[in-house]
Amino acid sequence: MASEIPIPGTVQLVDIQGVFNVEHGGQRSRDIVLVPQPTNDPDDPLRWSPRRKTKNIICAMSWCFFIAALISGLSPAYILIEQDTGISIADLSTGNGIMFLFLGWGTLFTQCLALNNGRRITLIVSAIASAGMSLWTAYVKSRGEFFANRILLGIAASPQETLIEVIVGDLFFTHDRGFYMGAYSWTLWCGAFLAPVASGYVAQELGWRWIQYIIAIIGIAVAVFTFFFFEETMFYREHHAGDMRETPGLDPVSIKAATPGSVTGSTAAANSEKSPNEKTLDREEASVSPSTEPYEPNSFDEKASTRTYLEKLKVWGFRDPRQPNNFKHFFLPIQLLFMFPGMFFGGLLVGGILAWYNVVGGSLALILGNPPYNFSANNIGLTYLASVVGVTIGCLLSGWMADILALRLARRNGGVMEPEQRLWTCLVALVMHPAGCLLYGVGASFHIHWFGVVFGLCLISITLPMGANLAFTYILDSYKEVAGEGLVSAILIRNLMGFAFGYAVVPMIEHLSLRYAFVLITCLGMIVWSTAIVMIYVGKPLRSATAQSYWNLVERLGAKAH
């Protein structure tokens, strides 16, 4: 029956009655069920010690911060570049949009490489290639050459768009994934916003080309740092622990189908004597139920690695021969967009926030570098500190606070967590986005004090990591078996939208005027954020309606490597 098909993303996150014979959290979260369930392999990243996980995620976040800085450092120097090379600010903004377009399309290849051959080799090659492209930027002399440079830089840096989210999913369980997604968004956006602060001073004192020289040096340093300190997190599970159909007692369909007292000790004993094939059949028919006797949760224990330090330095050789070849499903991300509405929703949400970011990035120099403000390049760079403040607030709201909210709502829902539970935090963005756009764009058209413009920039920035966090976490929670490809699906939509707005921002302001351009952005933003409210109510029915198609796809692909 359709009602017995497990709904992707619906999981028993909280063991309220203590009846599930599965691995639980530590002393502070003993009632939280670990989703996905870890294997017994000591090199399973889910089994790593907190110290080992922390070291690895700090390396990944550092990589993300500097790659984001590497592709964002030029914006305060647009006026200087125009004076030096003759490339107009409009063309520089268009080039930025082209780069974001290929940051998306580049993930079709780089994500396959990471899922197929490992995270380490992808991060290291990306950092080296991005450094080379940045060095080339210092020598561009024409519009066409600049566009070509942006295309190749976008492809080289594309792992920052989707790979860190996969690493977070490799290392952390569902109940604390939101916090680390928030940390990822913070490093991504702070790298993008702090780089212009420093590069503004570099451009003013040393010239804009020195921005690229310094960035290239940093890129090589990041590659070396990643080589020595980041440990491979790719891990193959013979059966995917996140699939609730293979984890007795954790499929909420089975739990709700069971009545109190339906599973007795003799029934459980009889079940244990069944052949593996019979057990599998039972699970598929959702006939396994949790024990009704209070159960002392398993204490989750970390295990020491069996690999030596030199073995950990390898950049290949981690692929399991049973692992499916992701390059055979190169276009799967495009297919997923048409199969599962949740994927399209994630792309629309994260695409919206990139569009607003490109509009702000493309208009900041036009607004503050001209009368009545007349800011210098370094002062324009300093205004990005307001964005850092906004991003920090947004990351706390959509990361740590979203985790707390999801746990609280799961407890009220009988311990069952739905991916849509995190989306309630979007109510904050529905207020911040219009307020920020009206202050920043419309306010600047009325020549309000520069502090009002910068404060509006801060409010817009609060929503930027919120869109990224909520969209990516929704995909990770809902479709974890194909999350690597699903993230690429979202990025394709995101960067198409980012390209469109990056290309159109200057002409839009010229034709509509600054005031009405931001009235339009205000309305569009409210429409995009309202889709998150709609998904709170229709998300689960949509996941339920496509559940059979999803599990058929997972079975066909052999999607077991998380």
Side-chain angles (χ1 to χ4, degrees):
M1 293 175 61
S3 61
E4 294 178 348
I5 299 172
I7 301 174
T10 298
V11 295
Q12 189 75 27
L13 185 63
V14 184
D15 186 0
I16 294 177
Q17 298 178 340
V19 297
F20 301 120
N21 187 12
V22 292
E23 299 238 34
H24 292 60
Q27 295 296 323
R28 297 181 182 179
S29 52
R30 292 182 64 82
D31 64 337
I32 296 176
V33 176
L34 299 181
V35 180
Q37 287 279 289
T39 67
N40 289 323
D41 191 321
D43 287 309
D44 182 348
L46 293 175
R47 280 233 177 254
W48 290 1
S49 67
R51 180 178 179 181
R52 191 176 174 192
K53 288 185 177 185
T54 301
K55 175 182 75 76
N56 229 44
I57 202 64
I58 287 175
C59 290
M61 299 298 181
S62 300
W63 182 94
C64 179
F65 178 89
F66 286 111
I67 296 299
L70 185 148
I71 65 174
S72 305
L74 275 185
S75 53
Y78 277 2
I79 295 175
L80 297 178
I81 296 172
E82 182 181 41
Q83 293 170 352
D84 192 26
T85 65
I87 304 172
S88 69
I89 290 179
D91 286 337
L92 292 171
S93 294
T94 299
N96 196 53
I98 291 173
M99 179 186 67
F100 277 103
L101 176 66
F102 281 88
L103 277 169
W105 287 101
T107 58
L108 284 171
F109 173 76
T110 58
Q111 191 79 335
C112 278
L113 178 64
L115 296 175
N116 211 57
N117 299 96
R119 292 33 161 171
R120 272 174 57 80
I121 188 172
T122 307
L123 294 178
I124 293 168
V125 170
S126 172
I128 294 172
S130 298
M133 294 304 105
S134 297
L135 187 61
W136 175 22
T137 307
Y139 298 96
V140 296
K141 297 184 182 300
S142 67
R143 174 177 178 267
E145 187 182 3
F146 182 72
F147 287 173
N149 173 268
R150 296 292 98 178
I151 290 171
L152 294 178
L153 178 59
I155 295 171
S158 61
Q160 73 146 5
E161 300 291 327
T162 54
L163 184 50
I164 307 302
E165 298 95 310
V166 171
I167 292 170
V168 169
D170 290 340
L171 290 169
F172 300 105
F173 299 102
T174 295
H175 68 276
D176 54 14
R177 194 175 285 160
F179 172 81
Y180 292 98
M181 286 298 295
Y184 156 66
S185 287
W186 189 86
T187 57
L188 177 67
W189 289 105
C190 284
F193 286 133
L194 286 175
V197 176
S199 64
Y201 281 100
V202 172
Q204 197 76 20
E205 300 299 325
L206 302 175
W208 70 270
R209 287 185 173 83
W210 269 97
I211 297 174
Q212 301 308 112
Y213 300 151
I214 294 171
I215 280 174
I217 294 170
I218 290 174
I220 297 299
V222 167
V224 174
F225 178 79
T226 303
F227 176 80
F228 284 106
F229 295 103
F230 180 79
E231 186 175 349
E232 182 59 64
T233 63
M234 182 172 70
F235 181 80
Y236 180 82
R237 293 177 173 81
E238 189 169 359
H239 66 84
H240 196 287
D243 187 346
M244 295 300 100
R245 298 176 300 173
E246 298 186 8
T247 308
L250 288 187
D251 173 16
V253 172
S254 304
I255 294 166
K256 291 181 179 180
T259 56
S262 61
V263 178
T264 63
S266 61
T267 303
N271 186 61
S272 68
E273 294 174 0
K274 292 183 179 181
S275 68
N277 288 339
E278 288 175 312
K279 289 182 179 180
T280 301
L281 182 61
D282 285 346
R283 287 196 296 268
E284 294 293 336
E285 294 176 351
S287 61
V288 178
S289 304
S291 169
T292 56
E293 296 297 322
Y295 173 74
E296 183 66 21
N298 291 337
S299 178
F300 176 66
D301 61 304
E302 302 88 8
K303 296 186 178 182
S305 175
T306 59
R307 297 171 184 161
T308 65
Y309 178 69
L310 288 178
E311 288 175 330
K312 293 176 183 178
L313 290 181
K314 293 192 302 181
V315 293
W316 59 80
F318 295 99
R319 175 179 168 79
D320 191 290
R322 298 166 297 175
Q323 190 172 324
N325 187 343
N326 291 86
F327 283 103
K328 291 182 178 179
H329 311 293
F330 189 81
F331 294 105
L332 178 60
I334 299 174
Q335 180 184 354
L336 293 175
L337 286 174
F338 296 98
M339 293 183 67
F340 308 113
M343 298 284 191
F344 186 85
F345 159 71
L348 179 65
L349 186 58
V350 78
I353 58 104
L354 177 63
W356 324 147
Y357 167 71
N358 279 352
V359 170
V360 170
S363 62
L364 192 62
L366 289 174
I367 292 172
L368 296 179
N370 291 303
Y373 303 109
N374 295 317
F375 278 28
S376 62
N378 57 337
N379 284 333
I380 292 173
L382 281 174
T383 61
Y384 280 98
L385 290 175
S387 296
V388 173
V389 174
V391 162
T392 303
I393 295 171
C395 287
L396 287 173
L397 289 172
S398 58
W400 176 62
M401 287 297 294
D403 274 347
I404 293 175
L405 178 63
L407 270 175
R408 179 167 294 185
L409 292 177
R411 293 183 196 279
R412 291 173 56 182
N413 193 34
V416 177
M417 192 199 97
E418 308 287 357
E420 291 79 18
Q421 290 167 347
R422 299 182 194 270
L423 296 180
W424 283 107
T425 55
C426 72
L427 291 172
V428 176
L430 267 173
V431 175
M432 296 299 165
H433 175 82
C437 286
L438 293 176
L439 263 178
Y440 174 80
V442 178
S445 72
F446 284 107
H447 299 161
I448 65 171
H449 192 273
W450 65 265
F451 181 80
V453 175
V454 173
F455 186 71
L457 179 63
C458 176
L459 295 181
I460 295 173
S461 300
I462 290 174
T463 69
L464 300 181
M466 294 187 71
N469 281 2
L470 294 175
F472 292 146
T473 307
Y474 185 82
I475 291 172
L476 284 169
D477 287 345
S478 299
Y479 307 106
K480 50 186 167 287
E481 287 78 9
V482 293
E485 295 84 356
L487 293 168
V488 175
S489 302
I491 290 299
L492 290 177
I493 294 180
R494 187 194 92 152
N495 288 22
L496 281 171
M497 292 176 66
F499 167 72
F501 278 86
Y503 183 83
V505 56
V506 174
M508 182 173 63
I509 291 173
E510 289 177 348
H511 287 86
L512 294 179
S513 79
L514 181 65
R515 181 179 309 166
Y516 293 109
F518 273 89
V519 169
L520 175 62
I521 294 300
T522 299
C523 297
L524 292 175
M526 293 185 71
I527 292 172
V528 169
W529 280 108
S530 294
T531 62
I533 300 294
V534 174
M535 283 299 291
I536 292 173
Y537 295 99
V538 305
K540 184 174 181 179
L542 289 173
R543 287 186 289 115
S544 179
T546 57
Q548 186 64 67
S549 298
Y550 178 74
W551 294 120
N552 289 344
L553 178 68
V554 169
E555 189 73 20
R556 178 168 60 85
L557 297 177
K560 299 175 181 179
H562 191 261

